[in-house]
Amino acid sequence: MSVRIDIAGLRPERIAVVPSPLAELGMALHALSEPGHHPGLQGWATGVTARLDSHLADRMCEADFLWRTTFSDLFMPFAGVPGRSTLPGATLADDLDLLDKLSDEQFVDAALEFTCALPYSTGGVSALDDPEVRRRALDLAAARGPQQLRFSERLLADPPRIRDWLRQFARDCDEAFFAETWSRLRHQLAADARHKTDLLRHKGLAEALAAVSPAVTLDEGAARLTVDKLGAGRSATADGGLLLVPTSLGWPHLMVLHRHGWQPVLHYPVGSPELVSPPSVEQLTMRMTALSHPVRMRICRYLARSAYTTGELAQVHGMTAPEISRHLGVLKKAGLITTRRRGRYVLHQLDVTVVARLGSDFLEGILR
């Protein structure tokens, strides 16, 4: 399984390596919401959380589905600007101005990515236009909790209002903690961007991609870029460009923005991760046996990013609910997932802390 980007006709000058303040804010919000994904950032996350104003902390919870799973494409609005060649802004304010260049349909579809299951790599109808897609979006938002349902209702009723809400929220985060974080990280990101740009100019795209991640490969004959992930997708640069956006907060995530009609983006981590301690032999044997089935591996990929009901997993994987339940039972017996009830919904989620003890390679594989 992989994400493939067709780069036929892509000119070298249309490839850019540029940091994005808004994308880094999205990753910061993700790391604060899911510190288990980022063990090396736990000290930073603890310090930020301790200083947060209670009102801002409540607002983080209000729309956390925009960044908890990974983070929404709304944090990379430059990719959706018509023409598919816009670069990230130099400042957070510049990036937020680009957010206003997205249409209401683009804004809503990107905001509902993790609750609506709209077509991603191919075009589809918008929840603003189709009552059935709208109903499904609200039903799935309800499964995540009342806050997400309320936010989704407001989003669908008045997109400009939520656009203003997100802009103000980003400004408040900047004032509370992100400006300090960005001032510390932007020099590292700029240095990495210069290094990758030099590789592009003097050694070519293949060398630059190899420096981004060994999971990214280039087939020059087929004019195709392939990212090895536990997920499938496709995109094309077409008449646009290709963006490489570094992040200092992102490991182990290697994200690929391949939304239909948007400029493809590789959002890649800078810096070396710390290795984790290995599990006991008994734990390793039991857990690796549980993970030996390819369906359970794919289930783990979903459950690592968010909590899902059995019915949702069945729909995503094209299986029956009893089949999914059997796989969930094996994972739960191995201690790899947790289960909680929210009203009439039973939600399952991967225990990332336990998975981390299996080794950084496996954790990186399912989170990539």
Side-chain angles (χ1 to χ4, degrees), residues 74-98:
L74 291 177
F75 289 92
M76 293 192 276
F78 41 84
V81 175
R84 295 158 57 103
S85 60
T86 300
L87 300 181
T91 67
L92 183 62
D94 292 337
D95 265 352
L96 289 172
D97 286 342
L98 294 176

Side-chain angles (χ1 to χ4, degrees), residues 5 13 20 40 43 49 87 92 150 209 246 251 294 310 327 344:
I5 301 174
E13 64 269 21
S20 163
T49 302
L87 300 181
L92 183 62
R150 286 194 296 270
L209 293 176
W251 187 88
T310 301
H327 287 299
R344 63 188 179 93

Side-chain angles (χ1 to χ4, degrees), residues 144-263:
R144 301 294 187 272
Q147 285 184 314
Q148 292 189 6
L149 176 59
R150 286 194 296 270
F151 189 90
S152 297
E153 289 173 337
R154 291 164 53 207
L155 171 69
L156 289 167
D158 192 354
R161 180 185 176 191
I162 297 302
R163 198 189 295 254
D164 291 342
W165 182 96
L166 184 59
R167 285 181 63 100
Q168 188 58 53
F169 174 74
R171 294 192 193 101
D172 292 345
C173 287
D174 190 48
E175 181 178 348
F177 68 89
F178 183 69
E180 177 185 352
T181 301
W182 178 249
S183 68
R184 180 169 47 85
L185 299 179
R186 62 187 179 89
H187 302 292
Q188 180 191 23
L189 296 177
D192 183 84
R194 287 193 298 270
H195 172 61
K196 299 296 192 301
T197 300
D198 286 342
L199 287 176
L200 278 169
R201 290 174 178 171
H202 300 114
K203 295 189 176 182
L205 181 57
E207 289 286 336
L209 293 176
V212 164
S213 169
V216 185
T217 56
L218 173 66
D219 184 335
E220 296 190 64
R224 183 175 62 226
L225 187 158
T226 301
V227 185
D228 182 28
K229 293 175 68 73
L230 277 172
R234 64 183 185 275
S235 184
T237 52
D239 58 349
L242 173 68
L243 283 177
L244 310 181
V245 177
T247 169
S248 290
L249 303 174
W251 187 88
H253 303 301
L254 172 61
M255 297 176 58
V256 188
L257 192 160
H258 53 97
R259 180 178 292 278
H260 177 74
W262 290 40
Q263 183 178 190

Side-chain angles (χ1 to χ4, degrees), residues 3 10 55 63 79 90 119-120 125 141-142 170 180 196-197 245 247 262 284-285 290 321 348 350 357 359 365:
V3 177
L10 178 64
H55 179 58
Y120 188 87
V125 294
E180 177 185 352
K196 299 296 192 301
T197 300
V245 177
T247 169
W262 290 40
L284 182 62
T285 301
H348 312 280
L350 194 71
R357 291 199 292 270

Side-chain angles (χ1 to χ4, degrees), residues 20-34:
S20 163
L22 185 56
E24 198 71 346
L25 173 58
M27 186 56 74
L29 290 166
H30 168 67
L32 290 171
S33 299
E34 288 287 1

Side-chain angles (χ1 to χ4, degrees), residues 54-102:
S54 60
H55 179 58
L56 182 57
D58 288 343
R59 288 158 67 203
M60 281 188 180
C61 295
E62 183 178 359
D64 70 348
F65 61 87
L66 293 178
W67 49 78
R68 181 177 290 276
T69 301
T70 50
F71 66 84
S72 169
D73 290 345
L74 291 177
F75 289 92
M76 293 192 276
F78 41 84
V81 175
R84 295 158 57 103
S85 60
T86 300
L87 300 181
T91 67
L92 183 62
D94 292 337
D95 265 352
L96 289 172
D97 286 342
L98 294 176
L99 191 66
D100 288 339
K101 295 183 180 295
L102 300 181

